[in-house]
Amino acid sequence: MKVNKTTQAKGSAKSQKWKDVRAKRCRPPVRSSELDSAPAPVMARMIKEHQAAAKKKPTVKRLQIKAKPVTDPKKNTPQSRPKKPYSQANGSAALRMDNESEDSQEWKAYSQSIHGNGVETSADAEDVRPGRLEGEALHYCTERDDQQNHAVLVMHKDQTLCFRGKCSLTCLYGRVEVMGFTIEEGQQSYPLFSPASHCPLTIRAVETPANTRDHKSAASHILRKYLSSASQKKLLKRVTSNSSVILLEPMETPLTRFLSSFAELSELFSPPMSELVSAVLDTPLNGLGVIPLVRAIDGLKMSKSYSDALNTVVSACRGDMDGCAVILVCGTKNVGKSTFIRTLVNTLLNHTTCVDYLECDLGQTEFTPAGCLSLSVVREPLLGPPFTHQCTPEHMIYYGQSSCESDLDRYLESLKSLWRRRSPSRETPVVINTMGWVKGFGFQLLVDMIRLFPVSHVVQLGHGGVTQCPALTPEFLRTAHGCQTHPPAQTALDELTESHTPPRSYAHLIVQSEFQGVARQGTAKHQRSNEQRELSLLAYLSQLQSPDPGPVRPLHTLTPYQVPHSAVALGVSHCEVMPSHMFYAANAALVGLCCLGEKITSRGGPVLLTQGPICPCVGFGVLRGIDMARGLYFLLTPVDPSILRKVNCLLLGAVSLPSCILSTQPGFEGEMPYVTSDYSFDHTGAGKLRVFKGLTRPSQIAMQ
Amino acid sequence: MKKRVSEKKRHVVAWVNKAEWDQVLEYLYSKDSSLQRHALHRISAWKCRYTSSCPVAVDCTADLVRCQALDRSGQLEGDDLVLLYGAALVRFVNLITERQQGKTARPLRRLAGNLNIPEWVVDLRHDFTHRKLPTLKWCRKGCNVVLEWLQHEYWSRQLGGGPSEDWESQSNGEDDETDLRRQEDELIARQKEMEAYKNARKLLISFEKEQYQAFDGLPEDREKSLWPAPFADMSWLLGEIKQLALESSDLLIEVLLEDGFLVPTVEQLQTLGCDTSASPTEPRLPQTFLRFWLPLLKMLNSPAIVHLLLEKLFVELKLLAKEQKDHRAFYLSAWISEFVFCNSNKFEYHFETKGQKKDRMKDRIFVNRIQLRWQQLLSACLDAPCISTPHLLQLILDDMEHPLPLETRQRLLQLCSIYTQTAHSNFDPSQEQKQQPIYTLESLHEKLQRSRHHSQPWRSRADSERSESSQENKSADAWAERAKLLRGSPWQVCADKVLWKNYPLGKVPGQSDDPSCLMLENYSTMTVFDQPVELETNTARSAPGMSAPVRTADGLLWNHSDVNKLKSGLQLF
């Protein structure tokens, strides 16, 4: 009884937490009188505030009404499509039906479209079908305001816009969905990044819950703020009761400015070669940095099992679960784990203020440079690839390598250490991202992780109808061996007691990925994983740029911090370097900024660590130079000074500075340290070690 | 025709400069084992920098030199040394031939033969892996020979210049046979191309001949009214050219844009009786010359070709930027303007009669508007600045499907005219614009400042004047703020008056180029264990149904890995 009671209390408190949601992120309402009396200043203020809101640390985002479950429109619409009423761009009709319900309104419109014979309909009122907005359709439903340099788009339910590029999106009316995140009228604007390195983003208009507002007048009211009167009229014709209106603005951030200062990244936000023929040029959106793609290019492709798993997990999180949901996502390489997690996190953020995220994948980290294990609290939706949302995690450990093969124990110990730092009383759902290494020891590590963390859901992604490794079901776990953990010994006593204490269980969900090129790494520019690691690091270093617009300042021109050699320890995590030659490894290198519990004491000269410890890391810096005469390190770092003061250890790892940072230092014609143009790769042995996987033997060919 | 400025690509390497490289090379191949050790230690730092992309040759050399140094030290027994030599030699043979491997495994003997590695070295390798261990004598001999080979093939050739490629794109060193085949294929392809090129030239020259004949047959004063009906020959010719355009439009257009075709020679112009004096800022084609080419262009008319042609015209124009050939530039621009003009749907001719209109349409290459890729054209146009660019730019801007904002257009044109030095041509800035103040950097700063403090709508002039200095102070303030936050810690904001932009990363004021300037003679070591977690409340979480044995790892005071860590912690340098 007692137990029951507490859970009930907890449950109700929880549901209160989940349900009591109001849009605190919303902009303050603008009174119409304010608008009418002094349009220009108010508008300017509005835009200002709206920009400020975009920059400000947001508080809470809540949907006014529950978000729809995640479904793939392609799967569900076919039956309903033929019944879909033709949108009737007929203002008078809509006005008359002011107080009627949404359904009957639709029905009336439908019947009118049949009987009315289109006398009033203007020529450009195309029939509205769900599907990709491309070519002609984009011209009809988009208006660009040249003066303010933005575009307004009217989308109907289930219409999509798939694009390359970057922009800032504000929902002016109705609601749209991007990667599982629902954006509705009145919310702040969100930055969207769709670079060539990843699957293109898709904006999808979703159904607006029935409201009693007159859509025409409401929409016209909104459009007035953003468009000239001619454009307003044109767009207003397109607005129906289930339309959404979005505002797209060009976006430049210190990140994009910094990246574009490197010649090899100038095409990052353009479509990759394979998509060039599918890019729609000369739409009103192109000038804003958005390049629409035709329907031949798939956006995020959700299979049935994919959306089922999403729904199961989301509803489990929303339901009154005892304890918090801990969702572990695993699967082989390039099967879509990260994308699944981004969609999952975004969908969860529709309902809750934050989601915890435990990073166990050293190679493809989401919020940090590669080589880090971290625990983050995600408050903002993830509307782009990892390098577009680098942020400081709550807790981080610098493992120092982009794969854990060399030291499995250190890897597991780091993860345990991270998990222990999480407050046990936290009730936020946790999403755990794992490595794509699912063979041999990699698989054993997965078994360990499921045992170490109180997992409530295991989402296992696979492709081609199989999971590429044994299914990690609770039954399987009962007998599986991990690296550090082992199944309980099966004794007669255990069998007796088993009925009393059932083994810990979790839901096991299998997802089949069905996108094109599954399990293969992209080969186009920016799609290889080492390039993406470089992008993440560059994005991290872009925080050194001033937030004010202005020319990009190369790293070497910035004023560094300085610290005496004797005050901070210097260590290497991934290999052994002779102490007397240590500075040759550290100069102009990337270092993890760590905090040791021990006090650093020097018996003269620099303090060198004999091994890389597992210790908290607060960020990264570039060891810009070493002053041997005065005994100083010069360091560039975006870490806040109030945190930097606690740093007493610089840890070198196998994550090196992107080569473009060193080779692109404007202002030096001749020699630069560590850069040469005289090294030739034509000579034998000049390249790095190349590992051939899948070398076939002549005998194998004979057999085939 | 194709020019490529082959600029050497910069690579990031592990040595700070050539002096360091030279020093390491010298020490590696010295007979003094303490110097060799020094070099090996430096290479340990290089490997740390390189992470996983250390050159294979450096890696192999280091392993072999390590064996030599250990051998000379006399601390190890013969059997120990054989195993060490064995590992180094096996690794050398396999790693150095790795790039030679194709998709299927090939005998090491053959691959090594391609690289001039003596066959007996490969045999030695096989002895280590499959047969009886060789004697120490053979090991030493093998090691010496291989080190010599590395010095000859890698160390002495490197950093001496020569073409460089990328780390990643390095050729996969395919078999000789496939190499030969590829060369043959290339040769054949090149020959085919040459033939096609000759064919295209021949066709175009015959077209010109036919046209000249047709033009010659006409009295000059009546040329306007009569258009020569194409001869039978002509229609055959046009058919051929059309076929060519379908097969290789690139080639055809390339030939067309050579001197003597769409860019006429002076003699050709004289023959056609065109006067050559025209304003270079607004190039127009002489009408006779346009008509000369019309039959061909009308036949070629398709959006794809028009596109290609326009792009090529711009590319050619861009190439001229350095050479200053006014005549060619004039005709290239004239053709561009003709094409864009044909595409424009503006009707400025409201008062013309039908006949006039017909005449006008007759001289057009194409009548229906084509969807051009305006963005690309625009950037191509801006890429190829010349004296007529403002004119072309205007045409393109006016004709774009989705015109840029008016303001942007005007600014672009103005910038363009400033760049090409043709200000005050046809698009004098409007009166209103003239009255605008001249912007300087300072005034722009001020404007920026004002737009940032939008909350105070209209600030007084005094305010805005002050803002300039505040802008300067702002960064100083930020630094002062940071310094304050760091006070009491060993960290400081670097306060030296150093112009950091003069020092590339890895270099500080006063640092010498001596490769041993970063050596540490005096240092302290420290051994740190994994950092414990300060727990807020150290209560064991009791997840429901968690079976006890699973949690044993937490139960023990020190688990296996902790003990390992402790052990490794005890090891000192």
Side-chain angles (χ1 to χ4, degrees), chain A residues 429-440:
Chain A
V430 193
V431 179
I432 302 176
N433 183 26
T434 60
M435 308 170 289
W437 185 25
V438 295
K439 297 260 149 71

Side-chain angles (χ1 to χ4, degrees), chain A residues 70-77 204 300-303 307:
Chain A
V70 191
T71 47
D72 188 357
K74 278 178 198 152
K75 298 260 186 261
N76 297 337
T77 42
R204 188 161 62 91
L300 175 61
K301 214 173 181 181
M302 287 193 201
S303 61
S307 43

Side-chain angles (χ1 to χ4, degrees), chain B residues 212 215-216 220 265-274 288 292:
Chain B
Y212 280 125
F215 273 68
D216 277 348
E220 262 177 53
T265 59
V266 181
E267 298 87 64
Q268 282 173 336
L269 286 175
Q270 276 168 356
T271 321
L272 289 172
C274 302
T288 339
F292 181 86

Side-chain angles (χ1 to χ4, degrees), chain A residues 139 282 452 504 562 584 587 597 606 608 614 624 630 645 647 665 674 676 679-681 685 687-688 696, chain B residues 11 13 49 56 99 105 154 158 165 167 170 402 485 487 492 496 503 505-506 515 524 526 531 545 551:
Chain A
H139 291 296
D282 297 321
L452 291 174
R504 194 167 58 98
Q562 66 180 47
Y584 289 87
N587 191 23
L608 306 178
I614 297 178
R624 189 242 184 277
R630 290 191 290 161
R645 57 178 293 140
V647 170
Q665 298 185 63
Y674 307 107
T676 179
Y679 190 83
S680 160
F681 285 89
K688 65 172 180 179
T696 53
Chain B
H11 296 291
V13 290
R49 295 193 81 86
V56 169
R99 295 258 171 196
Y154 176 77
Q158 214 46 266
E165 275 182 86
W167 289 110
Q170 194 196 5
H402 300 282
L485 285 169
R487 207 169 292 155
Q492 279 174 28
D496 303 348
Y503 296 91
L505 294 178
S524 358
M526 182 175 166
Q531 299 296 295
R551 285 272 154 188

Side-chain angles (χ1 to χ4, degrees), chain A residues 52-348:
Chain A
K55 273 179 212 146
K56 230 185 349 199
K57 203 82 193 145
T59 48
V60 195
K61 178 256 173 183
R62 289 297 156 85
L63 295 180
Q64 287 171 354
I65 301 138
K66 280 176 210 157
K68 292 244 306 169
V70 191
T71 47
D72 188 357
K74 278 178 198 152
K75 298 260 186 261
N76 297 337
T77 42
Q79 303 95 327
S80 61
R81 198 175 295 175
K83 279 192 273 173
K84 190 116 183 80
Y86 285 82
S87 83
Q88 190 64 10
N90 199 331
S92 62
L95 274 173
R96 264 190 278 116
M97 296 186 293
D98 217 348
N99 47 4
E100 291 177 31
S101 77
E102 198 94 340
D103 273 349
S104 69
Q105 224 180 75
E106 259 186 12
W107 176 243
K108 267 242 172 89
Y110 180 48
S111 62
Q112 274 215 341
S113 76
I114 292 168
H115 299 300
N117 234 350
V119 184
E120 296 262 328
T121 41
S122 55
D124 58 1
E126 291 280 288
D127 61 332
V128 178
R129 276 160 296 165
R132 184 71 59 83
L133 281 174
E134 56 180 36
E136 286 292 286
L138 267 175
H139 291 296
Y140 289 124
C141 64
T142 313
E143 278 299 315
R144 177 172 158 184
D145 189 290
D146 293 337
Q147 228 67 53
Q148 298 174 60
N149 203 23
H150 59 213
V152 177
L153 220 83
V154 175
M155 297 172 86
H156 297 282
K157 189 191 156 208
D158 286 336
Q159 277 187 331
T160 57
L161 171 68
C162 183
F163 72 98
R164 287 289 181 200
K166 55 184 165 53
C167 64
S168 136
L169 178 146
T170 318
C171 189
L172 300 177
Y173 181 76
R175 50 167 63 172
V176 293
E177 180 258 352
V178 184
M179 278 201 80
F181 187 71
T182 312
I183 303 169
E184 63 170 29
E185 181 182 348
Q187 285 173 0
Q188 64 174 84
S189 48
Y190 288 94
L192 304 188
F193 294 93
S194 184
S197 55
H198 286 72
C199 168
L201 282 188
T202 306
I203 305 171
R204 188 161 62 91
V206 290
E207 195 170 14
T208 321
N211 60 23
T212 49
R213 277 193 304 175
D214 169 24
H215 60 267
K216 285 280 175 200
S217 67
S220 84
H221 200 82
I222 291 161
L223 290 180
R224 200 183 305 158
K225 292 180 230 163
Y226 298 96
L227 291 175
S228 66
S229 56
S231 312
Q232 273 175 47
K233 262 189 206 141
K234 198 180 146 197
L235 273 195
L236 208 53
K237 283 188 206 149
R238 318 275 317 163
V239 177
T240 67
S241 58
N242 57 15
S243 297
S244 299
V245 182
I246 56 172
L247 173 74
L248 299 179
E249 293 162 292
M251 178 175 62
E252 278 296 338
T253 62
L255 167 69
T256 59
R257 277 198 299 272
F258 186 63
L259 291 182
S260 61
S261 72
F262 299 101
E264 55 269 52
L265 298 177
S266 56
E267 298 285 294
L268 182 60
F269 286 100
S270 311
M273 288 303 276
S274 58
E275 281 171 14
L276 278 182
V277 282
S278 314
V280 191
L281 301 165
D282 297 321
T283 70
L285 296 177
N286 291 62
L288 304 171
V290 172
I291 303 147
L293 300 173
V294 297
R295 70 190 72 210
I297 299 291
D298 286 319
L300 175 61
K301 214 173 181 181
M302 287 193 201
S303 61
K304 174 92 171 59
S305 55
Y306 200 98
S307 43
D308 282 353
L310 269 179
N311 283 332
T312 311
V313 174
V314 171
S315 54
C317 289
R318 295 182 58 207
D320 299 329
M321 251 191 67
D322 195 20
C324 63
V326 177
I327 306 135
L328 183 132
V329 181
C330 60
T332 187
K333 281 171 230 132
N334 299 305
V335 78
K337 289 187 295 298
S338 306
T339 312
F340 180 85
I341 288 177
R342 282 197 279 275
T343 317
L344 173 62
V345 167
N346 288 342
T347 314
L348 287 174

